[in-house]
């Protein structure tokens, strides 16, 4: 549970989770990738960070179980794992 809390302790990571909750609203015109998620490059551009910084943020969220990643060629696409997020919030509610 500590890793999950640490993952949520950063404003940029929270925004990424918010954006990926409704990717069509936050990443319009992203093409035919609705089934795999949003390209890391688009997330990085929207956040206004360097690619390496965003890569680190996405890795933290993925390790915490909040994101899943799919590689297509040289690109990596990210989606929220809503079931995992829901399980975490339920656990947090029980503990607190």
């Amino acid at each position: 549970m500590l890793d999950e809390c640490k993952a949520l302790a950063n404003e940029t990571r929270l925004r990424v989770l918010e954006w990926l909750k409704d990717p069509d609203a936050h990443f319009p015109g992203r093409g035919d990738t609705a089934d795999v998620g949003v390209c890391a490059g688009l997330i990085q551009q929207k956040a206004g960070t360097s690619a390496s910084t965003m890569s680190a943020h996405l890795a933290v969220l993925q390790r915490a179980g909040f994101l899943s990643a799919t590689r297509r060629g040289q690109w990596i696409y990210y989606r929220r794992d809503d079931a995992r997020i829901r399980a975490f919030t339920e656990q947090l509610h029980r503990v607190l």
Side-chain angles (χ1 to χ4, degrees), residues 7 10-16 43 47 49-63 67 78:
N10 179 279
E11 185 178 342
T12 299
R13 292 192 290 264
L14 286 173
R15 283 196 321 247
V16 168
I43 299 169
T49 65
S50 68
S52 61
T53 298
M54 183 50 62
S55 178
H57 284 312
L58 294 170
V60 168
L61 290 169
Q62 190 177 9
R63 277 193 306 273
L67 295 182
Y78 289 90

Side-chain angles (χ1 to χ4, degrees), residues 2-4 10-12 19 27 36 40 42 45 49 54 58 60 69 78-80 87 89 93-94:
L2 188 56
D3 286 340
E4 292 93 337
N10 179 279
E11 185 178 342
T12 299
W19 297 335
F27 300 96
V36 294
L42 290 176
Q45 287 174 356
T49 65
M54 183 50 62
L58 294 170
V60 168
Y78 289 90
R79 305 176 64 119
R80 283 170 47 115
T89 59
H93 181 73
R94 282 191 305 273

Side-chain angles (χ1 to χ4, degrees), residues 11-95:
E11 185 178 342
T12 299
R13 292 192 290 264
L14 286 173
R15 283 196 321 247
V16 168
L17 289 174
E18 178 187 349
W19 297 335
L20 294 178
K21 186 173 185 178
D22 187 3
D24 292 333
H26 295 283
F27 300 96
R30 61 191 167 100
D32 63 348
T33 60
D35 59 327
V36 294
V38 177
C39 178
L42 290 176
I43 299 169
Q44 177 250 321
Q45 287 174 356
K46 185 166 182 70
T49 65
S50 68
S52 61
T53 298
M54 183 50 62
S55 178
H57 284 312
L58 294 170
V60 168
L61 290 169
Q62 190 177 9
R63 277 193 306 273
F66 296 143
L67 295 182
S68 61
T70 302
R71 179 176 288 278
R72 289 223 172 144
Q74 66 182 16
W75 308 111
I76 300 177
Y77 296 85
Y78 289 90
R79 305 176 64 119
R80 283 170 47 115
D81 185 337
D82 287 325
R84 175 66 188 104
I85 293 170
R86 191 170 22 265
F88 168 72
T89 59
E90 289 169 359
Q91 180 185 15
L92 187 62
H93 181 73
R94 282 191 305 273
V95 170

